[in-house]
Amino acid sequence: MQVCNGAGPCHISCNPRLKLQSSSVSRSSVICKRRRAATRFKVVDRSYPQSDIYWFPRASGINFDSDRYLGSFKCSCQRAESSNRLASDDGSQNEKLYVNKAKEYGTGNGDIFNVLDSEVSRESSSGKEGCSPNGNVAKHGAKRETKQKDGSKSVEDEAWELLKESVVYYCGSPVGTIAAQDLTSSSVQNYDQVFIRDFIPSGIAFLLKGEYEIVRNFILHTLQLQSWEKTMDCHSPGQGLMPASFKVRTVPLDGDDSATEEVLDPDFGEAAIGRVAPVDSGLWWIILLRAYGKCSGDLSVQERVDVQTGIKMILRLCLADGFDMFPTLLVTDGSCMIDRRMGIHGHPLEIQALFYSALLCAREMLAREDGSADLTRALNNRLVALSFHIREYYWIDMKKLNEIYRYKTEEYSFDAVNKFNIYPDQIPPWLVEWMPNKGGYLIGNLQPAHMDFRFFSLGNLWSVVSSLATLDQSHAILDLVEAKWLDLVADMPFKLCYPALEGKEWQIITGFDPKNTPWSYHNGGSWPTLLWQLTVACIKMNRPEIAEKAVEIAEKRISKDKWPEYYDSKKARFIGKQSRLYQTWSVAGYLVAKLLLANQSAANMLITEEDSELVNAFSCAISSSPRRKRRHKRSEKTFII
Ligand code: GLC
């Protein structure tokens, strides 16, 4: 019941032994049913340590009566009113509790939901749309046209309105923001869902405005989805995976045609284009959880047993031993913001930066208890190994490039300099021209005999934010951003990656993907949402003027262009060919950048500094680098902290 009390209106049974083995599952419980072709139902008991993951065979007495709403959380809309009251009681208490902390961060005690709540409850009480987010979006969309024409609002005001309009409600409580509100698009695909990664800038914007409830609800509801059954062709990924997105569906109540209920329906990649598992979701979830605690001052969420279990499940999934020789996380193509084939399978930088950041955040939040000593040890070891690996092997600048150019190959030895057997001929001709004298960056990916030299923005920016990059490297990354402004910012910040894949490379690597043509979408398109990560990185390095310049550029067009998802062409001059308009994370990314530039200390909720213990361990790692003599004896210096 702990989950339920915090998350809002739904009465959720968290102990499968208590509830689910009963054949008469109460309607107000989460009714967990088999989804699609699964053969077993998996439940995680969050009140017990990780080992308590129970598998219920079909014959266990769980009532699998309908395939229709399988695997969805249910709550009856009729109960939303009383639940709302509960939520707001809770909310006002929270408000009192957090007000001091909010002052500390200089965040407002925002009231944006006051307006919004009344609009939504009016709509709900009309009975037609129920609590469905899509109904709201259509209405607001019409209103938006008239508002834009009068031209009296600032870009920031408009952004707030759009963000409010994008809020998705579940049983009367705000739980997330819809990916896009593009009424002109003929194909909605999954842009009517709440994406975990897309919600992060929305969540940060709400936190900065003092609106904590939506973030809290988001954290707790997505946590519930974490233990969902997820299957593709009879195979399930590891426990702990967070969905890429979820949707609130309003469906007729079983056995009562006159009533409806709402269900939360997650997508773990089993419906996604390309069937990719979103590795980044859980990592972002941990980062947001920490930010919520830091900004609101409410640590009770991260201290909850179920939340602690959620963190551990994500960590265990990421820290599980495998065949790897590298400390980087091995993932498939499309496992992050770039969620379709773009040749980033293996150890893409974006995932590594989020992984590192999430490890540091989790380290801060994990309760110190005997049961988790092994996990903490594994976490610390991984942090050290990961930062060493990325800083040493992913880093390139003019000096390093020259080293690679002169690499010897086929070195069979423990002391090889060219450990990954990189053939110098793979240094692409564009890079020699492109690399500035001052500046450098972390490459996109590293595999045996392969360096992906493309510059990936999110990975580099988040390496700065999380301190995965050293101080010097972080400055050098920003130096490169300045030196390559016309390639990375040009008419609209910020290029997702540079350069684009073209010709045969594009054909082979993307599989002829017509959406990822050169200088479009993930293949060298420009994404306004990246403004917020750029801003946090610049603030961390005490160089906010870089972000300010980028925001100014964005401001010239973004509202006139209707907040596109991405821009095309080398200099970001076109609105993306298949870009959605009124893309929420474009709106939120801009807002967060503005709010943080106005209140820079608030960026601390996202920034992680390197721990001095880890710095020491890191210098041990450097001094025992296998570039030097390989030790045969066990070192007296240990990296276990
Ligand atoms: C696209 C993007 C992905 C984003 C989703 C929703 O698929 O590639 O990163 O989360 O749209 O906006």
Side-chain angles (χ1 to χ4, degrees):
M1 291 309 290
Q2 192 183 2
V3 171
C4 190
N5 292 341
C10 278
H11 290 233
I12 295 168
S13 162
C14 305
N15 188 335
R17 279 176 172 162
L18 288 179
K19 282 280 181 188
L20 295 174
Q21 286 191 338
S22 146
S23 55
S24 56
V25 178
S26 128
R27 175 144 297 289
S28 60
S29 305
V30 175
I31 303 178
C32 302
K33 296 171 187 172
R34 213 163 56 96
R35 190 171 195 178
R36 298 187 189 113
T39 52
R40 291 191 297 178
F41 169 58
K42 200 177 348 181
V43 181
V44 177
D45 184 341
R46 294 180 175 280
S47 53
Y48 290 88
Q50 163 67 15
S51 54
D52 291 279
I53 294 176
Y54 304 108
W55 285 87
F56 289 98
R58 202 183 167 122
S60 69
I62 303 168
N63 196 7
F64 294 116
D65 56 359
S66 155
D67 262 0
R68 189 146 170 218
Y69 316 123
L70 294 181
S72 303
F73 285 139
K74 292 184 171 191
C75 86
S76 165
C77 277
Q78 291 131 322
R79 291 169 47 239
E81 197 187 311
S82 57
S83 311
N84 259 343
R85 219 176 306 128
L86 268 179
S88 63
D89 284 353
D90 194 27
S92 53
Q93 270 174 13
N94 289 345
E95 223 157 80
K96 273 177 220 140
L97 266 173
Y98 314 150
V99 84
N100 290 340
K101 196 72 189 173
K103 272 185 197 146
E104 197 178 295
Y105 273 92
T107 54
N109 196 10
D111 60 352
I112 60 167
F113 283 113
N114 295 345
V115 182
L116 189 60
D117 282 347
S118 54
E119 279 178 19
V120 169
S121 55
R122 247 182 284 127
E123 282 169 12
S124 309
S125 63
S126 76
K128 289 214 170 99
E129 286 91 2
C131 307
S132 153
N134 301 341
N136 291 339
V137 169
K139 285 193 165 186
H140 288 300
K143 211 161 40 179
R144 183 165 64 223
E145 292 302 318
T146 52
K147 272 180 193 160
Q148 272 200 319
K149 273 183 202 144
D150 78 31
S152 60
K153 283 194 179 63
S154 74
V155 179
E156 203 174 326
D157 288 344
E158 190 202 351
W160 269 119
E161 272 179 25
L162 290 170
L163 190 64
K164 283 187 278 172
E165 288 166 11
S166 73
V167 170
V168 170
Y169 285 79
Y170 176 53
C171 299
S173 302
V175 289
T177 49
I178 195 169
Q181 305 184 68
D182 187 353
L183 308 175
T184 63
S185 174
S186 54
S187 128
V188 175
Q189 289 180 342
N190 48 359
Y191 284 88
D192 62 349
Q193 307 212 0
V194 179
F195 276 75
I196 308 304
R197 73 176 71 87
D198 293 37
F199 180 74
I200 307 304
S202 299
I204 303 296
F206 288 126
L207 289 179
L208 288 168
K209 208 63 177 172
E211 294 291 348
Y212 306 133
E213 188 203 352
I214 184 171
V215 182
R216 184 172 192 270
N217 291 343
F218 172 87
I219 288 169
L220 294 174
H221 281 299
T222 46
L223 176 70
Q224 283 297 299
L225 299 176
Q226 182 190 37
S227 41
W228 225 239
E229 181 186 358
K230 12 192 186 266
T231 324
M232 191 198 143
D233 298 340
C234 305
H235 177 73
S236 304
Q239 275 291 342
L241 184 70
M242 283 278 187
S245 59
F246 65 86
K247 192 175 163 77
V248 179
R249 293 185 199 280
T250 306
V251 295
L253 196 65
D254 276 348
D256 181 357
D257 285 349
S258 62
T260 59
E261 62 185 342
E262 291 189 338
V263 294
L264 280 187
D265 194 6
D267 178 10
F268 292 91
E270 72 270 39
I273 297 165
R275 301 292 187 265
V276 280
V279 178
D280 62 340
S281 290
L283 305 173
W284 277 124
W285 182 86
I286 290 179
I287 294 167
L288 184 66
L289 175 64
R290 173 183 177 261
Y292 169 82
K294 281 209 162 266
C295 190
S296 69
D298 171 23
L299 299 183
S300 69
V301 174
Q302 56 180 260
E303 283 165 0
R304 289 165 55 135
V305 176
D306 55 337
V307 173
Q308 287 279 320
T309 306
I311 300 173
K312 287 181 203 161
M313 279 170 62
I314 297 170
L315 293 181
R316 288 206 158 94
L317 190 57
C318 295
L319 295 171
D321 288 335
F323 290 105
D324 294 304
M325 290 298 290
F326 304 161
T328 34
L329 208 55
L330 179 65
V331 297
T332 56
D333 218 342
S335 56
C336 51
M337 175 183 181
I338 297 176
D339 55 359
R340 53 208 288 157
R341 206 172 132 190
M342 262 296 288
I344 60 161
H345 53 277
H347 305 96
L349 179 66
E350 176 181 332
I351 289 290
Q352 312 315 322
L354 293 176
F355 181 32
Y356 186 78
S357 180
L359 287 179
L360 278 178
C361 294
R363 189 171 186 259
E364 237 177 82
M365 294 186 291
L366 272 179
R368 303 273 172 266
E369 54 186 30
D370 293 347
S372 58
D374 283 351
L375 187 65
T376 311
R377 198 171 302 123
L379 188 157
N380 284 328
N381 283 340
R382 195 60 172 261
L383 274 170
V384 174
L386 184 60
S387 62
F388 175 77
H389 186 87
I390 296 284
R391 292 166 178 192
E392 268 296 281
Y393 307 128
Y394 277 58
W395 181 253
I396 55 166
D397 53 15
M398 215 43 216
K399 182 166 165 272
K400 182 69 183 284
L401 211 50
N402 209 152
E403 248 178 61
I404 299 171
Y405 179 68
R406 290 167 54 80
Y407 265 169
K408 289 188 181 56
T409 56
E410 322 289 337
E411 293 177 281
Y412 179 80
S413 79
F414 292 115
D415 308 323
V417 172
N418 181 7
K419 273 188 215 74
F420 308 103
N421 202 31
I422 305 297
Y423 297 103
D425 279 356
Q426 69 186 262
I427 297 177
W430 64 265
L431 184 56
V432 189
E433 304 302 320
W434 200 66
M435 182 66 82
N437 286 331
K438 187 174 172 222
Y441 66 95
L442 296 164
I443 58 167
N445 211 328
L446 176 69
Q447 317 260 46
H450 176 69
M451 287 177 112
D452 183 344
F453 287 103
R454 283 175 291 172
F455 173 85
F456 285 89
S457 306
L458 180 47
N460 271 284
L461 296 173
W462 211 258
S463 298
V464 174
V465 173
S466 62
S467 302
L468 176 58
T470 64
L471 229 95
D472 287 349
Q473 288 173 346
S474 299
H475 274 299
I477 290 169
L478 294 188
D479 290 341
L480 179 123
V481 167
E482 287 195 299
K484 296 291 149 189
W485 193 258
L486 288 181
D487 291 326
L488 299 177
V489 177
D491 272 18
M492 180 56 72
F494 203 89
K495 187 81 71 208
L496 187 68
C497 71
Y498 184 93
L501 298 169
E502 303 194 61
K504 271 263 168 306
E505 239 186 345
W506 166 76
Q507 290 178 355
I508 296 167
I509 293 178
T510 72
F512 291 79
D513 186 347
K515 203 168 170 185
N516 269 332
T517 49
W519 307 107
S520 180
Y521 198 42
H522 301 135
N523 188 13
S526 298
W527 292 64
T529 187
L530 293 170
L531 259 181
W532 78 271
Q533 286 106 340
L534 172 72
T535 305
V536 184
C538 292
I539 290 174
K540 178 175 184 237
M541 301 315 295
N542 208 10
R543 294 167 73 172
E545 66 287 351
I546 302 176
E548 270 158 12
K549 225 168 90 187
V551 169
E552 257 173 50
I553 290 173
E555 241 161 16
K556 285 192 194 136
R557 288 182 68 184
I558 195 160
S559 157
K560 272 191 247 153
D561 290 347
K562 305 197 172 93
W563 307 90
E565 180 186 12
Y566 63 93
Y567 285 78
D568 283 358
S569 86
K570 262 187 170 176
K571 305 279 177 225
R573 303 197 67 180
F574 293 142
I575 296 172
K577 210 184 334 169
Q578 294 189 45
S579 166
R580 293 295 181 288
L581 301 179
Y582 298 109
Q583 180 82 14
T584 304
W585 71 350
S586 299
V587 173
Y590 161 80
L591 262 182
V592 171
K594 283 292 268 193
L595 294 169
L596 287 180
L597 285 170
N599 174 18
Q600 295 183 14
S601 62
N604 285 334
M605 71 171 129
L606 294 156
I607 290 169
T608 44
E609 298 291 352
E610 207 172 23
D611 191 293
S612 58
E613 285 171 334
L614 291 174
V615 177
N616 287 341
F618 181 72
S619 44
C620 296
I622 293 276
S623 58
S624 66
S625 163
R627 271 192 184 187
R628 293 156 196 249
K629 206 164 165 17
R630 186 174 178 260
R631 262 197 299 268
H632 292 273
K633 271 197 215 151
R634 207 181 149 74
S635 164
E636 45 324 322
K637 283 174 190 159
T638 167
F639 308 145
I640 299 172
I641 298 160

